[in-house]
Amino acid sequence: MARPYWKGYLKLSLVTCPVAMSPATSEAEKVRFHTINKETGNRVISQYIDSVTGKPVKEENEAKGYARGENDYVILTDDDLDAVALDTVRTIDIEKFVPANSIEWVYLDTPHYLVPNDQVGNEAFAVIRDAMKADKVVGVSKLVIGRRERAVILEPRDEGIVLWTLRFGDEVRPEENYFEDIEDEADPDLVPLVQKLIKQKTERWSPDMVSDPIQESLLKLIADKKKALRSPKKPAKAKGQAVAPSNVVNIMDALRKSVASEMKTKRSG
């Protein structure tokens, strides 16, 4: 289990309980690369360089700067930024509730798991969670993450609560700008064929459906590279050039062939 990276309080009116929050997703298992100097084989490190003197800047001399003119900045230290911290740095105060199905998917940003942080607050947490479940609503609140206040929703899920950060309104592009020129209705003769195809391909959801083939190929490539370092190289065999398939097809014929192929596969399986 990942260690919580935020601890604070969940508050609803006069009801308060200590909670801990952890990311619901992780990229720790992803293949990561370092930048290497090919000549020496040594790892390359990055540094902040003073744009005028060209000299490296020590970590203790780094600060945030707000530009008020060309080469003219207002400098803010960590103490300055901490001084303007909001209550939402440590408290998730549920301000309102909305129907669970009323928030468009495009506003959902990053999921986190929210859990009680001690046994004393367990009951208050459970009451808030179950009340939201019963009314089919999610809580709306705000929370400071990375020195920035974010709108969040709290969605009851099993025994816990999933906290989603929300994208800001100016980050979401209206779908009408992209969908307005698409045909309103499809050919009614083609829809039943696609429905047959959908039915034949329908399965229960599994996390295996979102495996990363590039990640797997990278791991194989790395393993092959390691093996090659321990054994003499063999000349690679030349591969024939693949012919690009034509995209010009009759959609009715393609759908009929697809349905027939799926039926044949199911009978032989």
Side-chain angles (χ1 to χ4, degrees):
M1 183 189 299
R3 294 177 59 186
Y5 86 105
W6 181 92
K7 293 181 181 180
Y9 297 89
L10 176 62
K11 184 174 183 289
L12 174 59
S13 189
L14 300 179
V15 180
T16 303
C17 63
V19 290
M21 186 172 71
S22 302
T25 60
S26 170
E27 295 189 352
E29 301 303 318
K30 292 291 184 183
V31 174
R32 299 184 184 278
F33 298 101
H34 296 295
T35 302
I36 304 296
N37 183 338
K38 289 197 298 183
E39 291 185 1
T40 65
N42 298 329
R43 183 177 170 184
V44 175
I45 62 173
S46 59
Q47 287 182 305
Y48 283 108
I49 303 296
D50 189 298
S51 62
V52 177
T53 67
K55 295 180 179 180
V57 179
K58 294 181 180 179
E59 186 174 352
E60 60 266 24
N61 290 333
E62 295 172 11
K64 304 293 183 184
Y66 178 82
R68 61 180 181 182
E70 188 174 353
N71 295 324
D72 185 12
Y73 299 91
V74 176
I75 296 178
L76 300 173
T77 65
D78 288 341
D79 290 339
D80 292 329
L81 296 172
D82 290 340
V84 296
L86 303 170
D87 290 340
T88 47
V89 171
R90 282 285 168 256
T91 303
I92 304 170
D93 190 353
I94 304 179
E95 301 168 350
K96 60 188 71 174
F97 296 91
V98 299
N101 59 358
S102 66
I103 299 177
E104 294 185 56
W105 64 270
V106 72
Y107 284 93
L108 300 178
D109 190 3
T110 307
H112 304 77
Y113 294 135
L114 198 67
V115 299
N117 198 30
D118 65 21
Q119 289 298 320
V120 176
N122 216 322
E123 183 177 8
F125 181 94
V127 168
I128 295 172
R129 177 202 64 207
D130 288 353
M132 287 195 293
K133 274 186 183 179
D135 286 347
K136 297 181 180 178
V137 297
V138 295
V140 179
S141 185
K142 293 178 181 178
L143 177 65
V144 172
I145 300 177
R147 297 192 185 279
R148 193 177 187 190
E149 187 175 67
R150 303 293 302 272
V152 300
I153 62 166
L154 293 93
E155 174 192 359
R157 182 77 60 88
D158 297 327
E159 284 75 39
I161 291 175
V162 175
L163 180 147
W164 286 88
T165 57
L166 301 179
R167 294 185 175 92
F168 294 98
D170 59 3
E171 294 177 327
V172 176
R173 295 175 176 175
E175 61 188 41
E176 294 82 4
N177 295 349
Y178 301 87
F179 298 162
E180 60 185 358
D181 294 330
I182 302 175
E183 291 185 18
D184 294 338
E185 295 184 7
D187 186 332
D189 294 332
L190 299 178
V191 172
L193 286 173
V194 175
Q195 286 178 305
K196 286 183 180 179
L197 200 56
I198 290 173
K199 187 174 181 180
Q200 290 166 3
K201 289 179 172 288
T202 298
E203 302 175 16
R204 289 186 62 85
W205 162 255
S206 166
D208 294 337
M209 294 179 181
V210 288
S211 60
D212 185 353
I214 293 180
Q215 171 95 349
E216 294 168 2
S217 297
L218 281 172
L219 290 172
K220 184 179 184 303
L221 175 62
I222 292 168
D224 290 343
K225 289 271 188 180
K226 288 180 179 178
K227 186 177 179 181
L229 292 174
R230 297 191 296 266
S231 58
K233 293 183 178 179
K234 295 181 180 179
K237 294 182 180 179
K239 293 183 178 179
Q241 187 174 5
V243 179
S246 171
N247 289 327
V248 182
V249 295
N250 180 290
I251 189 169
M252 180 70 83
D253 291 343
L255 287 172
R256 284 173 175 158
K257 289 178 181 178
S258 296
V259 172
S261 176
E262 288 294 322
M263 291 290 289
K264 183 178 179 181
T265 301
K266 283 188 176 291
R267 284 196 296 266
S268 62

